[in-house]
Amino acid sequence: VLVGPVAIEHGQVDAGAIDDTIADKLSGEWISTISGSQGAEIKQWFEIHVDSGGKIGAGVAASQPPQSGVWEPDDTDSFLTGKVEVDGGAFKLVMKQETLDIPANQHHISDWIADFSADGTELTNGTWTNNKGTSGTFTATKVLSFEFTQPGTFGIRFSKGKPYAKVKELTGEGQAINYADTGLVPGLKLVAVGNDYMSGKTFEGAIGVLKTSPRPVTLRFIKGAPAL
């Protein structure tokens, strides 16, 4: 169960266009926190790809991120489809989620709606319903990815966070400073080093992974609070 119709407000964007900027804001990995009418709370990862025309070209949801780094549906995943529509001065993402390869009498199809933050990193006020009469709420935070190719220091000083190591400051050394204008800022939480996800790792364990990571390597961060 994952993301669905999403209302997106962008004050400086032409309300009549779905351009590459909007597509880029929606595309990528996300972590969601989902609450259902049965009282359970679930945290899941998903990835969607939006083209410049607003169509969702491919989307996959799973309870865990792909350890291979490649998102491909299997019999435990869900497939996401939809499109971005213009609704007055805002954008709406009309999304359906369909669970794969389970018996027909357990076939789940869900519809979702939420508010998309102006900076494209948060989904709030989300609600979902499915064809089994179940409903609930959800929020999500986007995973911000930055690739490091040069050996040596990343140029990031970390502090202990809950539950992840948190960016304390950029030191001005290494490649990190090059990403300061594209979202790598103090306060972000480290969720993955390459395909090594930080869930369950101590602060010292996360720093150890950073110190021994090869290059190139992609560091993944979130702004929000979901803990997996």
Side-chain angles (χ1 to χ4, degrees):
V1 284
L2 260 304
V3 74
V6 182
I8 312 162
E9 295 185 359
H10 297 276
Q12 303 301 314
V13 177
D14 179 2
I18 304 294
D19 59 15
D20 290 337
T21 300
I22 302 302
D24 289 343
K25 283 182 182 293
L26 285 171
S27 298
E29 288 182 304
W30 293 76
I31 305 176
S32 64
T33 302
I34 306 163
S35 297
S37 55
Q38 297 177 343
E41 183 174 272
I42 302 171
K43 292 183 171 64
Q44 291 190 339
W45 291 66
F46 65 95
E47 183 177 57
I48 57 173
H49 300 280
V50 184
D51 65 24
S52 59
K55 181 181 178 181
I56 305 300
V60 177
S63 58
Q64 294 291 332
Q67 294 304 307
S68 65
V70 178
W71 285 80
E72 295 179 346
D74 61 26
D75 59 4
T76 65
D77 294 344
S78 298
F79 188 66
L80 309 174
T81 58
K83 62 181 179 178
V84 178
E85 297 179 346
V86 179
D87 183 12
F91 293 92
K92 180 178 289 186
L93 179 63
V94 179
M95 184 82 81
K96 287 187 179 294
Q97 170 264 332
E98 184 172 359
T99 303
L100 300 174
D101 295 335
I102 57 177
N105 63 348
Q106 294 295 320
H107 196 188
H108 284 73
I109 301 175
S110 303
D111 294 288
W112 304 77
I113 186 167
D115 295 323
F116 200 101
S117 65
D119 66 358
T121 63
E122 301 291 334
L123 292 171
T124 61
N125 304 317
T127 60
W128 61 269
T129 58
N130 68 21
N131 62 329
K132 300 299 179 181
T134 305
S135 61
T137 62
F138 77 98
T139 59
T141 187
K142 191 173 185 181
V143 180
L144 307 176
S145 300
F146 305 95
E147 185 178 29
F148 291 80
T149 59
Q150 299 174 0
T153 180
F154 290 105
I156 306 172
R157 184 169 288 116
F158 289 90
S159 62
K160 289 185 178 181
K162 295 182 180 181
Y164 300 112
K166 182 184 295 186
V167 176
K168 182 177 182 180
E169 62 180 350
L170 305 185
T171 65
E173 302 173 350
Q175 286 182 264
I177 196 66
N178 298 333
Y179 295 122
D181 294 332
T182 56
L184 182 50
V185 296
L188 293 184
K189 299 172 183 178
L190 179 69
V191 293
V193 179
N195 296 325
D196 194 342
Y197 290 83
M198 299 295 101
S199 177
K201 285 185 169 57
T202 63
F203 174 78
E204 291 76 16
I207 298 302
V209 173
L210 285 166
K211 288 182 176 179
T212 59
S213 62
R215 303 294 192 280
V217 66
T218 297
L219 303 188
R220 292 178 171 86
F221 301 85
I222 58 171
K223 286 179 62 178
L228 291 175

